[in-house]
Amino acid sequence: MQKPLESLPEPAGVGATPVPRHVAIIMDGNRRWAARQGRPVLFGHRAGAEAARRAVDAAIDFGVRWLTLYAFSSENWRRPQDEVAGLMRLLHQGLERHMDELIARGVRLRVIGDRDRLDDTTRARIEEAEARSIRNERIDVVMALSYGGRDEIARAARKLAEAAQAGRLDPAMIDERAFARALSTAGMPDPDVIVRTSGEQRLSNFLLWQGAYAELVFLDVLWPDFDASWFARVLEAYAGRERRYGARLG
């Protein structure tokens, strides 16, 4: 059972050291969690969806301004068809059942990724949720759906190349800022910290451009067990890091 936030120790650095503005999470471990419970894979994904709701609540309560959740990667389309269909059903149910509550809490929803691979119904529901929440400003919750970092970079490069070929862009003006504006995350701050659960220690094609200077935190907890106390550990770990951005060594 999740501990109430009042009973959690305040993360080191909250107040004294700024809380990270943008936390990005690779939500890993649903399948292993289900296997340990002796339950079907979709049981783990359902529990993972509840953990995502807890993460949003914790981010709001701790004062995080941006939260990006890696919900479904471009590689996940290769999974069994029934699993993919089940994940899409969970997405539909989540938007239908919880969007009113999220909006009431000040959540502005944004979805990044290749929407062309989504069916018309899913795209329509996402667009509706984004439109309904567009005026909220307490926290931006970004869902990376059908998302791959390399694909995003390739799309941005193609977009800039097409603009240059059409004469709308001087190739000499393409710098890091111009490239960032061509990404699906345009207008978003880069993540201050990227978290991965389940004990795995890799980025798995997530925010490859944006995460260039992000702090990395790897947690030995399967995603369905993630709660506010684990979020507090992320903030504690971040508060203990010295961010140098390559300015000096040693």
Side-chain angles (χ1 to χ4, degrees), residues 76-216:
N76 287 159
W77 289 110
R78 303 186 193 128
R79 290 187 175 182
Q81 187 174 358
D82 59 343
E83 183 179 353
V84 171
L87 284 165
M88 293 301 140
R89 282 196 303 273
L90 284 174
L91 172 62
H92 293 179
Q93 291 168 5
L95 293 175
E96 181 179 347
R97 296 175 184 175
H98 305 303
M99 203 61 214
D100 287 344
E101 176 188 349
L102 293 173
I103 290 173
R105 293 217 68 188
V107 171
R108 176 164 52 201
L109 180 69
R110 176 171 177 171
V111 175
I112 60 173
D114 183 3
R115 299 192 189 194
D116 292 340
R117 300 189 71 174
L118 303 173
D119 62 81
D120 292 343
T121 300
T122 301
R123 284 198 301 270
R125 292 190 177 184
I126 287 171
E127 289 168 5
E128 178 186 5
E130 288 177 323
R132 288 184 59 204
S133 64
I134 196 168
R135 296 185 182 278
N136 284 348
E137 296 181 349
R138 187 174 188 182
I139 183 172
D140 283 81
V141 174
V142 183
M143 185 184 305
L145 185 68
S146 185
Y147 174 87
R150 287 182 173 180
D151 177 68
E152 180 188 30
I153 291 170
R155 285 169 173 266
R158 187 161 57 247
K159 182 178 178 179
L160 293 171
E162 289 171 353
Q165 187 177 42
R168 299 191 305 272
L169 176 66
D170 180 357
M173 300 303 293
I174 299 176
D175 56 12
E176 290 185 16
R177 289 187 179 183
F179 198 88
R181 288 194 295 269
L183 296 169
S184 62
T185 53
M188 291 172 49
D190 287 342
D192 298 296
V193 56
I194 296 177
V195 181
R196 182 170 187 147
T197 60
S198 85
E200 301 292 343
Q201 298 186 19
R202 57 182 180 274
L203 291 178
S204 294
N205 206 15
F206 182 52
L207 298 180
L208 299 181
W209 174 277
Q210 301 86 342
Y213 288 101
E215 298 295 327
L216 304 180

Side-chain angles (χ1 to χ4, degrees), residues 11-34:
V14 173
T17 301
V19 169
R21 184 182 184 196
H22 184 178
V23 175
I25 305 179
I26 302 170
M27 306 182 294
D28 191 21
N30 292 348
R31 294 169 126 198
R32 275 172 281 171
W33 187 88

